[in-house]
Amino acid sequence: MKLKYFFPLFIAALAFMTSCDDEETMTLLDEIRVSSSFVAIPQDGGSTSITVTAKDSWTAEKVTTDKDDVEWLTISSTSGGEGESEITFSASSALDGRTAEVLIFTEAETQRINVIQGLPQISLATVAEVLEAPDGKNFRVSGVCTGISNTLYGNWYLEDETGSVYIYGTLDEKGGEKNFLSLGLEVGDEVTIEGPKSSYKGNPQMVNVTVIEINKSLVKVDSVENAELPVEGGEFIAYLTCKGEGVSVEIPEDAKSWLSISSIQSAGTNSVVTFKAEANEGGDRETLLTFSTTDGTKNYTAETTLSQKGAIVNATVAEFLAAEVGNTQYRLEGVITDIANTTYGNLYLQDFSGETYVYGIEDFGDKGLKVGDIITLVGKRGEYQGNPQMVGAVLESVIPVTPVTITEFLAKEESNDTYYMVSGDITQITNDTYGNLYLNDGVSEIYVYGCYPGWGASGDDRKGLLAAKGIVVGDELTIIGIRSSYNGQDQLGNGIYFSHVSAN
């Protein structure tokens, strides 16, 4: 099936004809007249002037849209008074033709000025040529839709034999936005588009493209069963429509160890492909399955994604940071050291091995979490601009930590399950290795039985914090721990380092 959409290639020429037809009306208004209602600027850049004759004060403004803020056009004057005035329109060089409209207002009348620079030109190109081209140049390019990431605005990937380019925004038949589904474009379809090359954070893309033609694929995934398999594995079934010469299936190399084809059954244009997945002993995983056919001259493809739940990997922060970005689920435990966003729950989580950024926690606003709380999260290893982070985080459990003075802490009942945060100056260190010391806040003093590097430390990982951070007598220390005692002496036990301020 082919869809052809009319899109004017010579907007500038039409603007010129319109201005010529309406010249007498546009230039001979009663209160304001212009020497020309059509302004042409060379494509290499330059300036053009017109004369405005007015009976009253006037203002001028550019007509802007969401797609074009017309920053490329400079107007020498945007206001004037009675009599004759000169306005100069200027622009730097342009890769392709562009147009704009300027309105000149008096209290009672409006004069329209059509501005044109060069003529719109559409260059036929491969994807590779688009990727290498400067931003702002318009192209017509053909390829196959290999993936769709947004079905409202029409964000998808176009691929030909030279490469792949991201399409950010697709216009509908009438040039409107947010109506991508009306086009009927699917993964595997051959498509020809026109639009400008752009870039986002250094990544090339095409924006707000117009669809010229769609050639539907001869193979299509109609539906699937068990798109998300359980940990124990099972069968995944894909139902296809195939109008080509048979169907073949491609399983990516990294999935062949756990996924295989059980059967392929075909009847007319209908095919059923059954896959078998093994039990998953690792984290969540997914793979992209490709179905192919041919008409004897061209190859056509369709794709679908299969995912499988996996075991949750218990990890330290250091192990999480060293892991690869992917779908594996990790369980982290640690202390909240800072909350960067109180609406979505962007925060920093620290254990004895290190600290990581958490990009949002599901339903954070309902959790009542605060700095100092000890939490357990499950999420995936993500990354933003090279910086590791946890994404898709879900809160599993929380141990609230209550900030108190040392006097308040001493009045608490002993408990191995209730944690407090206290601060004070170090008056004496009795064990450098484990961090046994005395804290005094000016009113009361407490013995700290162990100051460990962070939550989860055990064995040798508990040793050496004071030396590692250069903590000495006189420094102010903030620590998290439980109310305990030993041989009648009150103390803070299971101490977790939070922060310190050097006396110097």
Side-chain angles (χ1 to χ4, degrees), residues 414-435:
E414 294 187 27
S415 171
N416 292 327
D417 302 317
T418 305
Y419 282 78
Y420 302 94
M421 178 185 291
V422 299
S423 298
D425 295 335
I426 301 174
T427 59
Q428 181 183 355
I429 298 175
T430 61
N431 187 302
D432 287 321
T433 301
Y434 289 100

Side-chain angles (χ1 to χ4, degrees), residues 77 88 109 190 350 396 399 402-403:
S77 178
T88 300
E109 296 177 338
E190 291 182 323
Q350 179 176 285
E396 274 198 341
I399 301 174
T402 305

Side-chain angles (χ1 to χ4, degrees), residues 146-148 187 221 223-229 236-238 252 258-259 275 285-291 302-308 327:
T146 57
I148 298 174
V187 172
V221 179
S223 62
V224 298
E225 282 186 23
N226 302 326
E228 184 177 79
L229 290 169
F236 169 77
I237 304 174
W258 58 273
L259 186 66
F275 300 84
R285 59 191 180 189
E286 69 176 21
T287 190
L288 184 66
L289 302 172
T290 303
F291 306 93
E303 297 175 341
T304 191
T305 300
L306 163 65
S307 61
Q308 184 180 17
N327 290 317

Side-chain angles (χ1 to χ4, degrees), residues 17 120 193 359 382 409 420 430 448 494:
M17 289 189 293
I193 60 172
Y359 185 67
F409 178 80
Y420 302 94
T430 61
V448 175
N494 297 343

Side-chain angles (χ1 to χ4, degrees), residues 234-237 249 251 258-265 272-278:
E235 284 191 340
F236 169 77
I237 304 174
V249 185
I251 298 176
W258 58 273
L259 186 66
S260 60
I261 300 172
S262 295
S263 66
I264 300 178
Q265 299 176 345
V272 179
V273 183
T274 303
F275 300 84
K276 181 182 178 182
E278 303 296 333

Side-chain angles (χ1 to χ4, degrees), residues 402-415 418 420-422 441 443-447 481-485 489-492:
T402 305
V404 294
T405 65
I406 293 178
T407 300
E408 292 170 335
F409 178 80
L410 291 171
K412 301 295 183 181
E413 294 183 359
E414 294 187 27
S415 171
T418 305
Y420 302 94
M421 178 185 291
V422 299
D441 63 4
V443 178
S444 300
E445 188 170 71
I446 185 68
Y447 181 63
I482 61 173
R483 173 70 168 87
S484 64
S485 65
Q489 180 184 18
D490 295 324
Q491 61 183 26
L492 182 149

Side-chain angles (χ1 to χ4, degrees), residues 320 329-332 344-347 349 356-364 367 369 375-382 389-396:
F320 175 80
Q329 296 280 345
Y330 293 91
R331 178 179 286 112
L332 299 183
Y344 297 103
N346 302 346
L347 53 82
L349 182 73
T356 187
Y357 185 62
V358 178
Y359 185 67
I361 297 176
E362 182 178 300
D363 299 326
F364 176 80
K367 308 301 184 185
L369 299 179
I375 61 176
T376 301
L377 297 176
V378 173
K380 299 177 183 179
R381 168 68 158 83
Q389 59 184 16
M390 174 175 274
V391 296
V394 176
L395 179 70
E396 274 198 341

